[in-house]
Amino acid sequence: MSAHRERHLVSRSGWLRAAVLGANDGMVSTAGLIAGVAASGATTGAVFVAGAAAMVAGAMSMAAGEYVSVSSQADSEAADLAREHGELASDWAHEHDELAQIYVARGLDATIASEVARQLMAHDALGAHARDELGISEIVMARPLQAAFASAVSFVVGAIPPLLVAILTPAPHRLLAVTAATLVFLALLGIVGARTGGASPWRPALRVLFWGAAAMAATAAIGHLVGRAV
């Protein structure tokens, strides 16, 4: 008999969330900064320096923020598991009844639920309580380094397209080119992220388009006003 392996999309939730967020943030923030600097009438060199600095600083900020955030989640999970381990050591019978009641609430007969709880706890008591009482499993467990790395790399990947467009486009057309290219890339990013997560692509694409356009419009307006003032 051949083994049938199912690959569920929830297993991608940790790194996918960080990667999509990082790429979207990298593209929007870098393109927005470039739009503001370009609208002020700055030179190509100034636009490049501003965009490159935004890319590096943003990637480091995303990695640090994601690491701290997910580390806090990991610490909470570890504390919950340690507490559960102590409760299992001090009151096994109560923990058995608690697990059995969870299965009863899910629809099992009380006798069957008690036997299921007994067998699962005999095999891996802490694992059973982690999954069914605390909602912690290997699939969704917090991984700080993975999340930080995915955020930083994806931020850089998202920042590169608007930065390249800004460098390669003549100054008179730079603002329009960066805006148009960024909107196209954002739409593609929304579609890819939705497809990877198994969702419909259109609403995510529209969301990132709206907020990306709003960010670039705001920074371009500020750059234009500052450029005229100075």
Side-chain angles (χ1 to χ4, degrees), residues 30-42 47 162 165-167 169-183 213 215-224:
T30 304
L33 182 71
I34 289 172
V37 176
S40 71
V47 171
V165 172
I167 295 170
T169 305
H173 310 295
R174 182 172 292 135
L175 179 58
L176 179 61
V178 169
T179 301
T182 300
L183 291 177
M216 287 184 288
T219 54
I222 293 172
H224 179 69

Side-chain angles (χ1 to χ4, degrees), residues 108-199:
L108 288 182
D109 175 80
T111 303
I112 296 175
S114 179
E115 179 61 18
V116 169
R118 186 191 67 78
Q119 292 192 30
L120 287 177
M121 289 179 67
H123 174 69
D124 181 7
L126 184 59
H129 281 269
R131 287 189 306 271
D132 296 321
E133 182 183 349
L134 304 177
I136 300 173
S137 70
E138 282 294 324
I139 292 178
V140 297
M141 186 172 286
R143 295 178 175 84
L145 288 176
Q146 182 190 68
F149 180 77
S151 292
V153 171
S154 59
F155 188 99
V156 172
V157 170
I160 286 175
L163 185 57
L164 287 178
V165 172
I167 295 170
L168 299 175
T169 305
H173 310 295
R174 182 172 292 135
L175 179 58
L176 179 61
V178 169
T179 301
T182 300
L183 291 177
V184 171
F185 285 125
L186 281 174
L188 292 175
L189 176 63
I191 292 172
V192 170
R195 289 295 189 190
T196 305

